[in-house]
Amino acid sequence: MFGDISSATKIDEIKFKNIAFPNDPIHYIAPTYDDMNHITFLLAKQMRANGITADRIVTLAKGGWPMTRSLVDFTKIKEVASIGVKFYQKLNQRYEVPKIYQDLPVSVKGESVILFDDVADTGKSLVYVKDYLLKAGVKQVTTVTLFYKSHSVIKPDFYGPTTAAWIVFPYESRESFSFFQRKWTKEGLSNEEIDSRMKQFGARQAWLDEYRLFS
């Protein structure tokens, strides 16, 4: 099925429509909030079927934040903590050792946790934080992501659709616009052409006008 995934009963039934543009080798997908809510539901269902329980959800900032609330709802796991890790000081200036810029606000020693993020892309953040949690005394870490890319250095314990596409998330609309506005302007596209493409990602004209006004 393409486009509407609401009737999918299994992760492997979900197929997103590829978005492609002339002279652009990259293919994109643009899941909606409702799409990701349904994927979260299916992941929670999978975990329940496999007997997975946890004391807490640890969500990776910032990608894990939006759907963590749904995961809390579907799993009935009420305790949540967030952790943030970064690998770069500035563009192309990589830290020798990744930096925790937002540490856990509570002790997780002795707990079983679900480590949650929106996508396993390189997978390096998941690997680093999983190791960090185990060193902090966590008893068991179950890794869960909404999407998975096969080049990731880690395959999560539970994951949503596998894709090689560039994922344009709805909660990164302004950030995506800023990136693509610069990229496509350099490639000679007009504002109207850029807006037409952004609308295929789910952006609204009022948003684009506002983004451009204050970019």
Side-chain angles (χ1 to χ4, degrees), residues 69-97:
R69 180 61 185 89
S70 291
L71 191 61
V72 166
D73 185 43
F74 292 136
T75 61
K76 297 185 178 181
I77 299 169
K78 302 303 182 184
E79 299 300 323
V80 178
S82 176
I83 187 168
V85 60
K86 59 184 178 181
F87 290 81
Y88 291 89
Q89 302 179 58
K90 298 178 182 178
L91 189 63
N92 295 326
Q93 293 184 14
R94 190 177 180 88
Y95 286 115
E96 290 186 14
V97 178

PDB file of all heavy atoms in Angstrom, residues 69-97:
ATOM      1  N   ARG A  69       5.302  10.434  23.250  1.00  0.00           N
ATOM      2  CA  ARG A  69       4.005  10.494  23.937  1.00  0.00           C
ATOM      3  C   ARG A  69       3.094   9.368  23.468  1.00  0.00           C
ATOM      4  O   ARG A  69       2.380   8.750  24.277  1.00  0.00           O
ATOM      5  CB  ARG A  69       3.334  11.855  23.697  1.00  0.00           C
ATOM      6  CG  ARG A  69       1.977  11.989  24.397  1.00  0.00           C
ATOM      7  CD  ARG A  69       2.136  11.862  25.911  1.00  0.00           C
ATOM      8  NE  ARG A  69       0.868  11.873  26.624  1.00  0.00           N
ATOM      9  CZ  ARG A  69       0.136  10.799  26.898  1.00  0.00           C
ATOM     10  NH1 ARG A  69       0.547   9.594  26.493  1.00  0.00           N
ATOM     11  NH2 ARG A  69      -0.990  10.899  27.563  1.00  0.00           N
ATOM     12  N   SER A  70       3.114   9.074  22.167  1.00  0.00           N
ATOM     13  CA  SER A  70       2.307   7.970  21.651  1.00  0.00           C
ATOM     14  C   SER A  70       2.821   6.632  22.170  1.00  0.00           C
ATOM     15  O   SER A  70       2.031   5.740  22.504  1.00  0.00           O
ATOM     16  CB  SER A  70       2.323   7.970  20.119  1.00  0.00           C
ATOM     17  OG  SER A  70       1.612   9.070  19.608  1.00  0.00           O
ATOM     18  N   LEU A  71       4.140   6.486  22.239  1.00  0.00           N
ATOM     19  CA  LEU A  71       4.714   5.234  22.740  1.00  0.00           C
ATOM     20  C   LEU A  71       4.340   5.019  24.201  1.00  0.00           C
ATOM     21  O   LEU A  71       4.045   3.893  24.619  1.00  0.00           O
ATOM     22  CB  LEU A  71       6.234   5.246  22.567  1.00  0.00           C
ATOM     23  CG  LEU A  71       6.955   3.916  22.803  1.00  0.00           C
ATOM     24  CD1 LEU A  71       6.472   2.854  21.814  1.00  0.00           C
ATOM     25  CD2 LEU A  71       8.468   4.091  22.693  1.00  0.00           C
ATOM     26  N   VAL A  72       4.333   6.094  24.982  1.00  0.00           N
ATOM     27  CA  VAL A  72       3.880   6.018  26.374  1.00  0.00           C
ATOM     28  C   VAL A  72       2.440   5.510  26.422  1.00  0.00           C
ATOM     29  O   VAL A  72       2.088   4.628  27.211  1.00  0.00           O
ATOM     30  CB  VAL A  72       3.984   7.399  27.055  1.00  0.00           C
ATOM     31  CG1 VAL A  72       3.215   7.424  28.371  1.00  0.00           C
ATOM     32  CG2 VAL A  72       5.444   7.762  27.292  1.00  0.00           C
ATOM     33  N   ASP A  73       1.610   6.056  25.557  1.00  0.00           N
ATOM     34  CA  ASP A  73       0.195   5.693  25.538  1.00  0.00           C
ATOM     35  C   ASP A  73      -0.005   4.232  25.141  1.00  0.00           C
ATOM     36  O   ASP A  73      -0.729   3.483  25.804  1.00  0.00           O
ATOM     37  CB  ASP A  73      -0.538   6.617  24.564  1.00  0.00           C
ATOM     38  CG  ASP A  73      -2.043   6.402  24.569  1.00  0.00           C
ATOM     39  OD1 ASP A  73      -2.623   6.266  25.660  1.00  0.00           O
ATOM     40  OD2 ASP A  73      -2.632   6.371  23.477  1.00  0.00           O
ATOM     41  N   PHE A  74       0.655   3.817  24.062  1.00  0.00           N
ATOM     42  CA  PHE A  74       0.439   2.469  23.538  1.00  0.00           C
ATOM     43  C   PHE A  74       1.071   1.379  24.406  1.00  0.00           C
ATOM     44  O   PHE A  74       0.606   0.240  24.400  1.00  0.00           O
ATOM     45  CB  PHE A  74       0.983   2.364  22.110  1.00  0.00           C
ATOM     46  CG  PHE A  74       0.222   3.177  21.093  1.00  0.00           C
ATOM     47  CD1 PHE A  74       0.898   3.924  20.140  1.00  0.00           C
ATOM     48  CD2 PHE A  74      -1.161   3.198  21.082  1.00  0.00           C
ATOM     49  CE1 PHE A  74       0.206   4.668  19.191  1.00  0.00           C
ATOM     50  CE2 PHE A  74      -1.868   3.944  20.143  1.00  0.00           C
ATOM     51  CZ  PHE A  74      -1.178   4.676  19.197  1.00  0.00           C
ATOM     52  N   THR A  75       2.141   1.711  25.122  1.00  0.00           N
ATOM     53  CA  THR A  75       2.815   0.700  25.948  1.00  0.00           C
ATOM     54  C   THR A  75       2.401   0.755  27.415  1.00  0.00           C
ATOM     55  O   THR A  75       2.689  -0.172  28.170  1.00  0.00           O
ATOM     56  CB  THR A  75       4.344   0.876  25.894  1.00  0.00           C
ATOM     57  OG1 THR A  75       4.689   2.174  26.406  1.00  0.00           O
ATOM     58  CG2 THR A  75       4.869   0.716  24.478  1.00  0.00           C
ATOM     59  N   LYS A  76       1.770   1.856  27.825  1.00  0.00           N
ATOM     60  CA  LYS A  76       1.404   2.094  29.224  1.00  0.00           C
ATOM     61  C   LYS A  76       2.628   2.228  30.130  1.00  0.00           C
ATOM     62  O   LYS A  76       2.539   2.034  31.337  1.00  0.00           O
ATOM     63  CB  LYS A  76       0.480   0.992  29.755  1.00  0.00           C
ATOM     64  CG  LYS A  76      -0.864   0.907  29.054  1.00  0.00           C
ATOM     65  CD  LYS A  76      -1.760  -0.133  29.715  1.00  0.00           C
ATOM     66  CE  LYS A  76      -3.121  -0.196  29.044  1.00  0.00           C
ATOM     67  NZ  LYS A  76      -4.002  -1.198  29.693  1.00  0.00           N
ATOM     68  N   ILE A  77       3.770   2.562  29.531  1.00  0.00           N
ATOM     69  CA  ILE A  77       4.980   2.832  30.318  1.00  0.00           C
ATOM     70  C   ILE A  77       4.976   4.319  30.646  1.00  0.00           C
ATOM     71  O   ILE A  77       5.089   5.157  29.751  1.00  0.00           O
ATOM     72  CB  ILE A  77       6.254   2.446  29.542  1.00  0.00           C
ATOM     73  CG1 ILE A  77       6.249   0.951  29.226  1.00  0.00           C
ATOM     74  CG2 ILE A  77       7.505   2.823  30.340  1.00  0.00           C
ATOM     75  CD1 ILE A  77       7.330   0.522  28.253  1.00  0.00           C
ATOM     76  N   LYS A  78       4.847   4.651  31.901  1.00  0.00           N
ATOM     77  CA  LYS A  78       4.625   6.041  32.291  1.00  0.00           C
ATOM     78  C   LYS A  78       5.909   6.832  32.527  1.00  0.00           C
ATOM     79  O   LYS A  78       5.921   8.057  32.413  1.00  0.00           O
ATOM     80  CB  LYS A  78       3.763   6.091  33.562  1.00  0.00           C
ATOM     81  CG  LYS A  78       2.409   5.402  33.419  1.00  0.00           C
ATOM     82  CD  LYS A  78       1.591   5.987  32.280  1.00  0.00           C
ATOM     83  CE  LYS A  78       0.219   5.329  32.184  1.00  0.00           C
ATOM     84  NZ  LYS A  78      -0.545   5.824  31.010  1.00  0.00           N
ATOM     85  N   GLU A  79       6.984   6.138  32.890  1.00  0.00           N
ATOM     86  CA  GLU A  79       8.220   6.852  33.216  1.00  0.00           C
ATOM     87  C   GLU A  79       9.022   7.129  31.946  1.00  0.00           C
ATOM     88  O   GLU A  79       9.246   6.229  31.125  1.00  0.00           O
ATOM     89  CB  GLU A  79       9.064   6.039  34.198  1.00  0.00           C
ATOM     90  CG  GLU A  79       8.374   5.771  35.532  1.00  0.00           C
ATOM     91  CD  GLU A  79       8.016   7.049  36.268  1.00  0.00           C
ATOM     92  OE1 GLU A  79       8.813   8.011  36.205  1.00  0.00           O
ATOM     93  OE2 GLU A  79       6.951   7.090  36.902  1.00  0.00           O
ATOM     94  N   VAL A  80       9.453   8.384  31.801  1.00  0.00           N
ATOM     95  CA  VAL A  80      10.159   8.814  30.597  1.00  0.00           C
ATOM     96  C   VAL A  80      11.353   9.675  30.986  1.00  0.00           C
ATOM     97  O   VAL A  80      11.287  10.445  31.951  1.00  0.00           O
ATOM     98  CB  VAL A  80       9.232   9.638  29.672  1.00  0.00           C
ATOM     99  CG1 VAL A  80       9.989  10.116  28.435  1.00  0.00           C
ATOM    100  CG2 VAL A  80       8.017   8.828  29.258  1.00  0.00           C
ATOM    101  N   ALA A  81      12.434   9.536  30.245  1.00  0.00           N
ATOM    102  CA  ALA A  81      13.582  10.434  30.389  1.00  0.00           C
ATOM    103  C   ALA A  81      14.147  10.698  29.001  1.00  0.00           C
ATOM    104  O   ALA A  81      13.969   9.894  28.082  1.00  0.00           O
ATOM    105  CB  ALA A  81      14.648   9.828  31.300  1.00  0.00           C
ATOM    106  N   SER A  82      14.808  11.825  28.852  1.00  0.00           N
ATOM    107  CA  SER A  82      15.388  12.199  27.565  1.00  0.00           C
ATOM    108  C   SER A  82      16.891  12.377  27.717  1.00  0.00           C
ATOM    109  O   SER A  82      17.375  12.823  28.759  1.00  0.00           O
ATOM    110  CB  SER A  82      14.759  13.508  27.070  1.00  0.00           C
ATOM    111  OG  SER A  82      15.371  13.944  25.873  1.00  0.00           O
ATOM    112  N   ILE A  83      17.615  12.025  26.662  1.00  0.00           N
ATOM    113  CA  ILE A  83      19.061  12.198  26.653  1.00  0.00           C
ATOM    114  C   ILE A  83      19.475  12.705  25.275  1.00  0.00           C
ATOM    115  O   ILE A  83      18.896  12.306  24.260  1.00  0.00           O
ATOM    116  CB  ILE A  83      19.790  10.876  27.001  1.00  0.00           C
ATOM    117  CG1 ILE A  83      21.291  11.097  27.160  1.00  0.00           C
ATOM    118  CG2 ILE A  83      19.497   9.787  25.976  1.00  0.00           C
ATOM    119  CD1 ILE A  83      22.026   9.904  27.772  1.00  0.00           C
ATOM    120  N   GLY A  84      20.437  13.611  25.252  1.00  0.00           N
ATOM    121  CA  GLY A  84      20.906  14.172  23.990  1.00  0.00           C
ATOM    122  C   GLY A  84      22.394  13.955  23.813  1.00  0.00           C
ATOM    123  O   GLY A  84      23.173  14.151  24.746  1.00  0.00           O
ATOM    124  N   VAL A  85      22.792  13.538  22.618  1.00  0.00           N
ATOM    125  CA  VAL A  85      24.204  13.302  22.318  1.00  0.00           C
ATOM    126  C   VAL A  85      24.529  13.951  20.981  1.00  0.00           C
ATOM    127  O   VAL A  85      23.702  13.978  20.072  1.00  0.00           O
ATOM    128  CB  VAL A  85      24.523  11.784  22.284  1.00  0.00           C
ATOM    129  CG1 VAL A  85      23.699  11.069  21.233  1.00  0.00           C
ATOM    130  CG2 VAL A  85      26.002  11.528  22.057  1.00  0.00           C
ATOM    131  N   LYS A  86      25.718  14.519  20.868  1.00  0.00           N
ATOM    132  CA  LYS A  86      26.126  15.100  19.592  1.00  0.00           C
ATOM    133  C   LYS A  86      27.543  14.667  19.256  1.00  0.00           C
ATOM    134  O   LYS A  86      28.373  14.426  20.140  1.00  0.00           O
ATOM    135  CB  LYS A  86      26.009  16.624  19.603  1.00  0.00           C
ATOM    136  CG  LYS A  86      26.814  17.356  20.658  1.00  0.00           C
ATOM    137  CD  LYS A  86      26.515  18.850  20.587  1.00  0.00           C
ATOM    138  CE  LYS A  86      27.253  19.632  21.666  1.00  0.00           C
ATOM    139  NZ  LYS A  86      26.947  21.077  21.610  1.00  0.00           N
ATOM    140  N   PHE A  87      27.794  14.590  17.958  1.00  0.00           N
ATOM    141  CA  PHE A  87      29.074  14.110  17.452  1.00  0.00           C
ATOM    142  C   PHE A  87      29.908  15.222  16.828  1.00  0.00           C
ATOM    143  O   PHE A  87      31.070  15.023  16.518  1.00  0.00           O
ATOM    144  CB  PHE A  87      28.847  13.009  16.410  1.00  0.00           C
ATOM    145  CG  PHE A  87      28.338  11.723  16.989  1.00  0.00           C
ATOM    146  CD1 PHE A  87      26.991  11.560  17.280  1.00  0.00           C
ATOM    147  CD2 PHE A  87      29.197  10.679  17.262  1.00  0.00           C
ATOM    148  CE1 PHE A  87      26.518  10.373  17.818  1.00  0.00           C
ATOM    149  CE2 PHE A  87      28.737   9.489  17.799  1.00  0.00           C
ATOM    150  CZ  PHE A  87      27.395   9.340  18.077  1.00  0.00           C
ATOM    151  N   TYR A  88      29.280  16.393  16.612  1.00  0.00           N
ATOM    152  CA  TYR A  88      29.981  17.473  15.927  1.00  0.00           C
ATOM    153  C   TYR A  88      29.916  18.764  16.733  1.00  0.00           C
ATOM    154  O   TYR A  88      28.884  19.096  17.316  1.00  0.00           O
ATOM    155  CB  TYR A  88      29.374  17.731  14.539  1.00  0.00           C
ATOM    156  CG  TYR A  88      29.618  16.604  13.564  1.00  0.00           C
ATOM    157  CD1 TYR A  88      28.724  15.542  13.470  1.00  0.00           C
ATOM    158  CD2 TYR A  88      30.745  16.597  12.753  1.00  0.00           C
ATOM    159  CE1 TYR A  88      28.947  14.496  12.585  1.00  0.00           C
ATOM    160  CE2 TYR A  88      30.978  15.557  11.866  1.00  0.00           C
ATOM    161  CZ  TYR A  88      30.075  14.515  11.785  1.00  0.00           C
ATOM    162  OH  TYR A  88      30.300  13.483  10.912  1.00  0.00           O
ATOM    163  N   GLN A  89      31.042  19.507  16.764  1.00  0.00           N
ATOM    164  CA  GLN A  89      31.054  20.848  17.336  1.00  0.00           C
ATOM    165  C   GLN A  89      30.432  21.817  16.340  1.00  0.00           C
ATOM    166  O   GLN A  89      29.543  22.585  16.658  1.00  0.00           O
ATOM    167  CB  GLN A  89      32.491  21.295  17.632  1.00  0.00           C
ATOM    168  CG  GLN A  89      33.260  20.388  18.566  1.00  0.00           C
ATOM    169  CD  GLN A  89      34.669  20.895  18.778  1.00  0.00           C
ATOM    170  OE1 GLN A  89      34.869  22.012  19.232  1.00  0.00           O
ATOM    171  NE2 GLN A  89      35.656  20.078  18.456  1.00  0.00           N
ATOM    172  N   LYS A  90      30.946  21.771  15.122  1.00  0.00           N
ATOM    173  CA  LYS A  90      30.441  22.560  14.010  1.00  0.00           C
ATOM    174  C   LYS A  90      30.446  21.645  12.791  1.00  0.00           C
ATOM    175  O   LYS A  90      30.890  20.499  12.861  1.00  0.00           O
ATOM    176  CB  LYS A  90      31.329  23.786  13.756  1.00  0.00           C
ATOM    177  CG  LYS A  90      31.392  24.767  14.916  1.00  0.00           C
ATOM    178  CD  LYS A  90      32.333  25.921  14.593  1.00  0.00           C
ATOM    179  CE  LYS A  90      32.435  26.888  15.762  1.00  0.00           C
ATOM    180  NZ  LYS A  90      33.386  27.993  15.486  1.00  0.00           N
ATOM    181  N   LEU A  91      29.958  22.159  11.683  1.00  0.00           N
ATOM    182  CA  LEU A  91      29.936  21.366  10.467  1.00  0.00           C
ATOM    183  C   LEU A  91      31.334  20.850  10.152  1.00  0.00           C
ATOM    184  O   LEU A  91      32.296  21.617  10.089  1.00  0.00           O
ATOM    185  CB  LEU A  91      29.418  22.217   9.295  1.00  0.00           C
ATOM    186  CG  LEU A  91      29.141  21.474   7.989  1.00  0.00           C
ATOM    187  CD1 LEU A  91      28.030  20.457   8.175  1.00  0.00           C
ATOM    188  CD2 LEU A  91      28.789  22.464   6.885  1.00  0.00           C
ATOM    189  N   ASN A  92      31.450  19.537   9.997  1.00  0.00           N
ATOM    190  CA  ASN A  92      32.712  18.869   9.643  1.00  0.00           C
ATOM    191  C   ASN A  92      33.775  18.940  10.738  1.00  0.00           C
ATOM    192  O   ASN A  92      34.938  18.642  10.484  1.00  0.00           O
ATOM    193  CB  ASN A  92      33.291  19.433   8.334  1.00  0.00           C
ATOM    194  CG  ASN A  92      32.397  19.153   7.147  1.00  0.00           C
ATOM    195  OD1 ASN A  92      31.757  18.107   7.097  1.00  0.00           O
ATOM    196  ND2 ASN A  92      32.334  20.085   6.214  1.00  0.00           N
ATOM    197  N   GLN A  93      33.406  19.343  11.954  1.00  0.00           N
ATOM    198  CA  GLN A  93      34.335  19.332  13.085  1.00  0.00           C
ATOM    199  C   GLN A  93      33.821  18.329  14.110  1.00  0.00           C
ATOM    200  O   GLN A  93      32.996  18.648  14.954  1.00  0.00           O
ATOM    201  CB  GLN A  93      34.467  20.727  13.707  1.00  0.00           C
ATOM    202  CG  GLN A  93      35.139  21.737  12.795  1.00  0.00           C
ATOM    203  CD  GLN A  93      35.349  23.079  13.472  1.00  0.00           C
ATOM    204  OE1 GLN A  93      35.231  23.196  14.687  1.00  0.00           O
ATOM    205  NE2 GLN A  93      35.662  24.093  12.683  1.00  0.00           N
ATOM    206  N   ARG A  94      34.325  17.118  14.006  1.00  0.00           N
ATOM    207  CA  ARG A  94      33.819  16.016  14.811  1.00  0.00           C
ATOM    208  C   ARG A  94      34.543  15.940  16.153  1.00  0.00           C
ATOM    209  O   ARG A  94      35.752  16.113  16.231  1.00  0.00           O
ATOM    210  CB  ARG A  94      34.010  14.698  14.045  1.00  0.00           C
ATOM    211  CG  ARG A  94      33.309  13.497  14.657  1.00  0.00           C
ATOM    212  CD  ARG A  94      33.502  12.271  13.768  1.00  0.00           C
ATOM    213  NE  ARG A  94      32.850  11.107  14.325  1.00  0.00           N
ATOM    214  CZ  ARG A  94      31.594  10.775  14.106  1.00  0.00           C
ATOM    215  NH1 ARG A  94      30.852  11.526  13.328  1.00  0.00           N
ATOM    216  NH2 ARG A  94      31.064   9.697  14.656  1.00  0.00           N
ATOM    217  N   TYR A  95      33.785  15.693  17.226  1.00  0.00           N
ATOM    218  CA  TYR A  95      34.393  15.447  18.521  1.00  0.00           C
ATOM    219  C   TYR A  95      35.161  14.131  18.481  1.00  0.00           C
ATOM    220  O   TYR A  95      34.754  13.178  17.813  1.00  0.00           O
ATOM    221  CB  TYR A  95      33.315  15.335  19.610  1.00  0.00           C
ATOM    222  CG  TYR A  95      32.668  16.636  20.009  1.00  0.00           C
ATOM    223  CD1 TYR A  95      31.315  16.849  19.763  1.00  0.00           C
ATOM    224  CD2 TYR A  95      33.384  17.628  20.661  1.00  0.00           C
ATOM    225  CE1 TYR A  95      30.696  18.035  20.150  1.00  0.00           C
ATOM    226  CE2 TYR A  95      32.777  18.813  21.053  1.00  0.00           C
ATOM    227  CZ  TYR A  95      31.435  19.010  20.791  1.00  0.00           C
ATOM    228  OH  TYR A  95      30.825  20.171  21.171  1.00  0.00           O
ATOM    229  N   GLU A  96      36.271  14.079  19.204  1.00  0.00           N
ATOM    230  CA  GLU A  96      36.989  12.811  19.323  1.00  0.00           C
ATOM    231  C   GLU A  96      36.134  11.792  20.065  1.00  0.00           C
ATOM    232  O   GLU A  96      36.147  10.600  19.750  1.00  0.00           O
ATOM    233  CB  GLU A  96      38.316  13.027  20.057  1.00  0.00           C
ATOM    234  CG  GLU A  96      39.345  13.809  19.251  1.00  0.00           C
ATOM    235  CD  GLU A  96      40.682  13.879  19.957  1.00  0.00           C
ATOM    236  OE1 GLU A  96      40.889  13.110  20.913  1.00  0.00           O
ATOM    237  OE2 GLU A  96      41.520  14.693  19.547  1.00  0.00           O
ATOM    238  N   VAL A  97      35.405  12.263  21.063  1.00  0.00           N
ATOM    239  CA  VAL A  97      34.468  11.431  21.810  1.00  0.00           C
ATOM    240  C   VAL A  97      33.113  12.137  21.780  1.00  0.00           C
ATOM    241  O   VAL A  97      33.047  13.345  22.021  1.00  0.00           O
ATOM    242  CB  VAL A  97      34.925  11.243  23.274  1.00  0.00           C
ATOM    243  CG1 VAL A  97      33.905  10.408  24.047  1.00  0.00           C
ATOM    244  CG2 VAL A  97      36.300  10.589  23.320  1.00  0.00           C
TER     245      VAL A  97
END
